[in-house]
Amino acid sequence: MIVQDRNSKLEEYLQLLRSMAFELERAMSAISVNSIQGLEDSLANQEAFSTRLVELADDLSGPVQKEPLAVRGSADDDLLQRVRAASNELQSLNRRYSALLKYSSRSVAMMVSLFSSYEGQIQEVSGPRLKLQTWSCQI
Amino acid sequence: MPDLTAMGGLNTSLLIGMQALEVSQGALNATSNNIANSNTPGYTREIPEISESPETISGGVVSGGGVSLNGLESVRDELLNLQIQQQTSAQSSADTESSALQEIQTNFSTSGNDIASAFSAFSSSLAQLSANPSSAAAQEGVITSGQNLAGAFNTTANALTTEQSAMNTQVTQTVAQINSLTQQIAQLNGQVSQLTADGQDGGTVEDQRDELVQQLSQLTGISVTQSSDGEVITTGNGTPLVMGSQSYSLQTTTGSDGMQHVLDSNGTDITTTLQGGQLGGSIQIRDQVIPSYLTQLNTLASQFASAFNAAQAKGYGSNGVAGQNFFSVPSSGAGAAAGITVSITDPSQVAGSSDGTAGSNGNVANLSAALTNALPSGQTPSQAYANLVFQVGNDASNASTQSTAIGQNLTQLTNQQSSVSGVSIDEETTNLIRYQTAYEAAARIVSTIQQLGTVTLDMGSTQSY
Amino acid sequence: MRVNPNMVPDILADLQQSQAAVNTALQEVATGKSVEVPSDNPVAAADMVQNTIETANVDQYTQNVSSMLSMVQAAGSSLGSVVTSLTQAISLGTEGANGTNNTSNLQAIASQVQGILQTVVSQANASYLGTYLFGGTENSSAPYTASSSSPSGYTYNGNNNVNSVAVGDDMNVQVNLPGSQIFSNSSTDVLGSLSSLVSALQSGNSSEIQSATSAVTTALNYVSQQQVFYGNAESQLNSQETYLQQETVNLTSQQSSLVDVNEAQAATDLSQAETANNAAEAAAAKVLPDTLLNYLVPTQ
């Protein structure tokens, strides 16, 4: 039955939105503690979820035959509302995740530049302590 | 004297004072020993080959396994410190903006006293007049709801100028705090130099100083470098704050806009160059964000008042007299929202009639049209206000998002700082490549999720085949 | 990587975030709304501005429809009475024209028709909630008053203007016809025709009575046509009422999707947030020294 199919797709979509949100949180935590493995694990899940989400989204956003309210029922509206709420939540997380990625990847880029262009010059200073070190790198 | 010529397009050169990874003399010696070792003749050849390509590592950093990271580590730590400083400033600025915007946006929620609620009550009072043109109660309803609308404009505008004033006070206070810190830092720099010259260990004093520099970075964006005379601290734009044992105080003075402007020690106005930290955030809110909101609010108030007054003029009050101005706004454009009031008090002056009789509602349609027609700005009153609400909400949301994201980034950086990797260059570079790959994948997914957002909004809208 | 000796700030940051999530979820359940401030959902907040205004308008339009319905029904029913009166007048006129009446009969009939004229005038002066229905926009005093200088004996004090009442964003319904159009129109003068019939009956001239009576017939047909206006207004208002009911449902539903929180969803969010918070605290408990734990307030 067409109505049932659509509703169960919406349910799956909803679940995926929530799972994706969870993964974003997980990825952000992994980044905070510098767990590259944790980040990679999360990304693997994210890839899988996003593939399925895009499929479902294509499916669910095609033209829908206008059904009388009695047939659609209020359950459909309720489900849609939850989908929207979950989607808003995910978008909000995504913005934060995107900002964090921007900053973190800038750090990585700086480190990469450092490693690839480091040219150290050591200048001995008398005394047991300070060693002034001069280096330059392209950033 | 080693050749300090940079490679290619040099953006940044960093002169770094060696810092201990841990505050213990033992580790201090160990580290300096490492550096001393790294200066042995064979060392530079043992360092992985310098890659000419700055973008990726794959150009050839990796050499035989087991090469020590020690030299690079100290530099990396300085780079971390730099980033931590910058992000501390950035977060402090985002926090300042976020707090201010949280305050501001409460005036834009549909609470009942806000402009949206007032517009809606005013609109329905006109619809009621349409059905009861000669009713004094209906006419009173228009006046009362008009007064509430003017009041909502007044309140909202005042809330904005109040917050602006609070930011202004914060500018003065922050500058005073900055000056206090720079003086202390300069003094400590002096002590460090003296201790060094005497051949003593200045580590504790340096740590004190570094703590103060950290505090300073919360107040304003700074750039820290080392010169042969000692530590140099400037604002992000290059205005000197500390040079070795010398500090340079900032001043504040009232500008022609009535706000506190920040001057450098020469008296030059540097207000617009200040970014980052509490100071940068306050200035951004005070001089950019709030004025933008106020301009929109003032434009809406004055254009709407004009449109409604023009509609009044097309008709007659129930007393048969031609319609007079319903709203009055201050004659100059500025302050329209703060100063808008209702200028009629007599119900019979509400110009609902089109023929001068009390029973005619012929002009009510014109009055209502002032609410539904486009203003000179090109938007209807409700569209203009809705756009402002969106902007305020979006700005507040972004500031909060930034603050949280930067906070997480800071956590990441301080975690890096606190841990000692002790791995080889090989492993370190492998990790960096993994990070780059991961971030590229992450960015693609971010983009996909963003697009899904738009698609999801459209779901459920039913169209027939 | 060895354990970060500075882990404490992270954990506190995590705790603060999970506490914030609990607070948000708590607030959602308490108020039933997920947009408290615009930053919660800027697009929804902007849409809510429009929704708020439209909802208030629809409420007022609904009231307008209801009160205008009553008014046009009152006017329509007045005209119905007028038709009845005119029908009576016609049969009286017919009777008077049949040539079998003597003078005193005719006088009696004449005064009955005069009575009918007075009745019709009082219908023309009908009011609804203090507003005269047939005075045009000059509706605060009686449209028709006695006047010796007027042929029909009554003069019209109203005007020719009409009101259209807002019952929708772009919908105004005309709700009245002026008395000058219905009762004292120069081409079909209802009141005039009745007073002419009275005069004819008093004169006793059969053919005059006959033509006066057929003038009243013309007047009756005319009034029936005028009644159609009010019937049309009534059905316009009725269908607008149905439309507004649907609009109310739509706006309420839109509002729900913008700001309301599904109760079950909010409760789920709350328990999830609380679970996460408890988990974060449990994790913290394992790592933080005891002294610090004393400063952490549990969520319960």
Side-chain angles (χ1 to χ4, degrees):
Chain A
M1 197 168 72
I2 304 214
V3 171
Q4 203 51 43
D5 228 349
R6 182 181 159 79
N7 268 0
S8 67
K9 280 179 187 163
L10 273 174
E11 292 272 7
E12 191 191 342
Y13 192 74
L14 175 61
Q15 192 47 51
L16 282 168
L17 288 174
R18 289 191 182 142
S19 302
M20 183 63 98
F22 177 78
E23 281 303 333
L24 292 196
E25 293 269 25
R26 197 178 140 198
M28 287 190 267
S29 296
I31 291 172
S32 302
V33 299
N34 296 299
S35 164
I36 180 67
Q37 189 59 51
L39 176 60
E40 286 169 341
D41 290 344
S42 176
L43 281 170
N45 286 349
Q46 288 181 36
E47 294 266 22
F49 293 156
S50 76
T51 306
R52 184 61 183 142
L53 275 167
V54 167
E55 268 172 28
L56 282 171
D58 274 338
D59 224 344
L60 289 165
S61 60
V64 175
Q65 190 165 30
K66 203 175 213 162
E67 284 141 14
L69 262 170
V71 174
R72 272 203 353 244
S74 61
D76 193 38
D77 289 336
D78 183 61
L79 185 53
L80 269 172
Q81 193 180 319
R82 286 192 286 156
V83 165
R84 271 189 221 112
S87 175
N88 287 338
E89 168 84 19
L90 179 61
Q91 291 302 317
S92 176
L93 276 171
N94 199 37
R95 278 190 289 274
R96 175 152 57 99
Y97 181 51
S98 168
L100 177 57
L101 285 172
K102 180 183 75 178
Y103 294 122
S104 294
S105 55
R106 204 170 60 188
S107 299
V108 167
M110 275 205 256
M111 288 304 173
V112 166
S113 293
L114 172 62
F115 276 65
S116 63
S117 62
Y118 171 69
E119 185 171 343
Q121 299 288 341
I122 307 301
Q123 179 182 13
E124 288 268 350
V125 171
S126 61
R129 199 177 175 266
L130 277 185
K131 309 291 178 197
L132 267 183
Q133 190 180 63
T134 304
W135 62 276
S136 51
C137 75
Q138 194 163 350
I139 295 181
Chain B
M1 186 73 176
D3 188 340
L4 295 178
T5 318
M7 288 168 38
L10 182 72
N11 288 346
T12 311
S13 76
L14 300 169
L15 303 178
I16 310 242
M18 251 299 295
Q19 279 190 348
L21 294 175
E22 292 169 355
V23 190
S24 82
Q25 190 62 36
L28 215 57
N29 287 339
T31 316
S32 46
N33 280 340
N34 284 337
I35 296 302
N37 286 341
S38 75
N39 203 28
T40 55
Y43 178 69
T44 47
R45 284 195 290 279
E46 282 166 17
I47 280 182
E49 294 82 355
I50 309 305
S51 164
E52 293 300 310
S53 142
E55 305 308 324
T56 68
I57 291 179
S58 53
V61 178
V62 180
S63 72
V67 177
S68 155
L69 246 194
N70 290 335
L72 275 180
E73 258 183 19
S74 63
V75 174
R76 184 191 68 176
D77 287 338
E78 281 309 314
L79 198 51
L80 272 177
N81 285 343
L82 186 75
Q83 291 178 71
I84 287 172
Q85 236 166 46
Q86 285 175 347
Q87 292 299 73
T88 302
S89 293
Q91 186 179 41
S92 180
S93 176
D95 271 345
T96 303
E97 291 188 38
S98 183
S99 297
L101 286 164
Q102 291 303 325
E103 263 305 311
I104 287 168
Q105 73 163 343
T106 55
N107 297 287
F108 292 88
S109 315
T110 37
S111 59
N113 299 322
D114 61 301
I115 291 175
S117 303
F119 262 127
S120 82
F122 191 56
S123 176
S124 65
S125 79
L126 290 171
Q128 187 170 38
L129 184 68
S130 171
N132 307 282
S134 55
S135 148
Q139 291 162 345
E140 271 293 351
V142 174
I143 294 182
T144 306
S145 58
Q147 285 168 338
N148 287 342
L149 178 58
F153 270 110
N154 302 151
T155 305
T156 308
N158 288 338
L160 287 171
T161 48
T162 299
E163 187 62 30
Q164 201 178 28
S165 182
M167 291 294 104
N168 196 38
T169 304
Q170 197 163 73
V171 166
T172 314
Q173 288 171 349
T174 309
V175 166
Q177 287 173 306
I178 288 171
N179 290 339
S180 162
L181 281 173
T182 54
Q183 280 164 25
Q184 292 174 61
I185 290 168
Q187 203 179 34
L188 291 178
N189 273 339
Q191 285 182 36
V192 168
S193 303
Q194 192 58 47
L195 287 169
T196 311
D198 293 346
Q200 289 180 38
D201 176 21
T204 321
V205 181
E206 276 182 348
D207 289 341
Q208 266 182 295
R209 178 202 61 191
D210 291 346
E211 172 57 35
L212 294 180
V213 172
Q214 177 76 1
Q215 288 177 27
L216 183 62
S217 72
Q218 284 178 336
L219 300 180
T220 179
I222 54 175
S223 176
V224 180
T225 54
Q226 296 286 341
S227 73
S228 46
D229 295 323
E231 192 177 59
V232 173
I233 304 179
T234 66
T235 67
N237 212 47
T239 303
L241 294 171
V242 172
M243 292 175 87
S245 55
Q246 177 76 37
S247 73
Y248 298 84
S249 287
L250 301 173
Q251 310 157 52
T252 54
T253 183
T254 312
S256 54
D257 56 5
M259 297 294 165
Q260 290 301 301
H261 285 234
V262 182
L263 314 175
D264 69 11
S265 48
N266 291 333
T268 311
D269 191 330
I270 57 167
T271 313
T272 53
T273 70
L274 292 165
Q275 296 201 341
Q278 216 173 291
L279 186 58
S282 315
I283 290 174
Q284 178 70 13
I285 294 285
R286 187 194 70 182
D287 295 350
Q288 304 295 330
V289 176
I290 291 181
S292 157
Y293 297 160
L294 275 171
T295 301
Q296 290 180 61
L297 212 53
N298 285 333
T299 304
L300 174 58
S302 81
Q303 288 187 356
F304 174 67
S306 295
F308 198 80
N309 288 344
Q312 276 271 114
K314 289 182 184 164
Y316 302 86
S318 57
N319 54 11
V321 178
Q324 301 155 350
N325 282 350
F326 187 92
F327 290 108
S328 93
V329 287
S331 52
S332 65
I340 183 174
T341 55
V342 171
S343 44
I344 68 170
T345 47
D346 185 344
S348 67
Q349 288 176 305
V350 177
S353 172
S354 55
D355 60 12
T357 62
S360 157
N361 74 356
N363 199 47
V364 178
N366 288 330
L367 296 177
S368 295
L371 278 162
T372 54
N373 286 352
L375 298 169
S377 68
Q379 299 174 319
T380 68
S382 61
Q383 280 169 346
Y385 182 68
N387 282 342
L388 182 55
V389 168
F390 172 78
Q391 203 178 327
V392 171
N394 203 38
D395 289 347
S397 170
N398 283 342
S400 162
T401 299
Q402 283 299 313
S403 177
T404 309
I406 297 172
Q408 284 182 303
N409 181 227
L410 263 173
T411 303
Q412 181 192 17
L413 291 168
T414 46
N415 275 336
Q416 283 177 21
Q417 194 183 42
S418 312
S419 74
V420 175
S421 69
V423 297
S424 67
I425 287 179
D426 291 3
E427 205 174 314
E428 188 80 20
T429 59
T430 308
N431 281 345
L432 286 172
I433 294 173
R434 274 172 82 184
Y435 267 114
Q436 281 198 315
T437 311
Y439 286 154
E440 278 165 21
R444 284 193 297 271
I445 296 174
V446 161
S447 169
T448 304
I449 293 176
Q450 210 172 0
Q451 288 161 35
L452 276 173
T454 325
V455 170
T456 309
L457 269 181
D458 292 336
M459 274 180 200
S461 55
T462 54
Q463 311 137 23
S464 327
Y465 280 132
Chain C
M1 189 175 88
R2 69 167 194 217
V3 172
N4 181 357
N6 292 335
M7 191 172 279
V8 170
D10 301 348
I11 288 177
L12 287 179
D14 280 346
L15 279 172
Q16 276 168 11
Q17 275 193 19
S18 63
Q19 184 64 44
V22 172
N23 289 343
T24 304
L26 272 173
Q27 199 171 46
E28 282 179 7
V29 174
T31 63
K33 297 204 179 302
S34 68
V35 176
E36 282 289 323
V37 286
S39 63
D40 286 343
N41 191 334
V43 171
D47 288 344
M48 263 307 287
V49 168
Q50 303 281 40
N51 183 290
T52 304
I53 295 175
E54 281 170 28
T55 301
N57 283 346
V58 165
D59 286 346
Q60 187 58 50
Y61 294 143
T62 303
Q63 284 182 45
N64 285 2
V65 162
S66 170
S67 60
M68 287 306 109
L69 260 176
S70 301
M71 197 176 88
V72 304
Q73 280 164 352
S77 130
S78 286
L79 291 188
S81 302
V82 169
V83 166
T84 305
S85 299
L86 291 176
T87 309
Q88 256 185 320
I90 291 168
S91 64
L92 284 170
T94 309
E95 192 191 318
N98 66 14
T100 63
N101 298 298
N102 61 22
T103 316
S104 69
N105 286 351
L106 288 175
Q107 289 300 334
I109 295 171
S111 72
Q112 281 181 66
V113 176
Q114 181 66 32
I116 288 172
L117 172 57
Q118 283 164 347
T119 304
V120 170
V121 168
S122 73
Q123 289 297 341
N125 284 338
S127 69
Y128 172 74
L129 293 183
T131 302
Y132 288 96
L133 294 170
F134 301 110
T137 57
E138 193 67 78
N139 54 19
S140 52
S141 54
Y144 288 98
T145 48
S147 161
S148 50
S149 55
S150 162
S152 66
Y154 294 94
T155 186
Y156 180 63
N157 307 309
N159 64 24
N160 304 329
N161 298 331
V162 298
N163 277 343
S164 295
V165 173
V167 290
D169 279 341
D170 284 308
M171 183 160 181
N172 295 326
V173 172
Q174 186 184 335
V175 294
N176 67 320
L177 292 175
S180 52
Q181 180 177 330
I182 305 175
F183 300 106
S184 48
N185 191 311
S186 56
S187 49
T188 311
D189 188 343
V190 174
L191 300 183
S193 73
L194 282 172
S195 74
S196 296
L197 180 56
V198 170
S199 306
L201 284 164
Q202 284 169 340
S203 79
N205 182 316
S206 261
S207 72
E208 253 187 66
I209 296 173
Q210 218 166 18
S211 69
T213 304
S214 67
V216 175
T217 305
T218 306
L220 184 148
N221 292 335
Y222 180 74
V223 172
S224 298
Q225 281 168 26
Q226 299 303 299
Q227 225 185 342
V228 169
F229 164 82
Y230 287 98
N232 284 344
E234 200 178 323
S235 61
Q236 261 192 308
L237 289 169
N238 275 324
S239 59
Q240 183 65 3
E241 189 171 45
T242 309
Y243 170 77
L244 288 171
Q245 279 167 356
Q246 186 56 46
E247 268 304 285
T248 304
V249 170
N250 291 345
L251 285 170
T252 308
S253 155
Q254 183 195 35
Q255 207 179 90
S256 271
S257 71
L258 289 176
V259 305
D260 285 347
V261 168
N262 178 278
E263 289 297 329
Q265 177 62 26
T268 309
D269 286 344
L270 178 59
S271 74
Q272 273 179 4
E274 281 177 339
T275 306
N277 199 35
N278 290 339
E281 284 197 347
K286 292 194 177 82
V287 179
L288 292 172
D290 284 310
T291 47
L292 251 177
L293 266 186
N294 295 333
Y295 291 102
L296 296 174
V297 180
T299 46
Q300 249 14 299

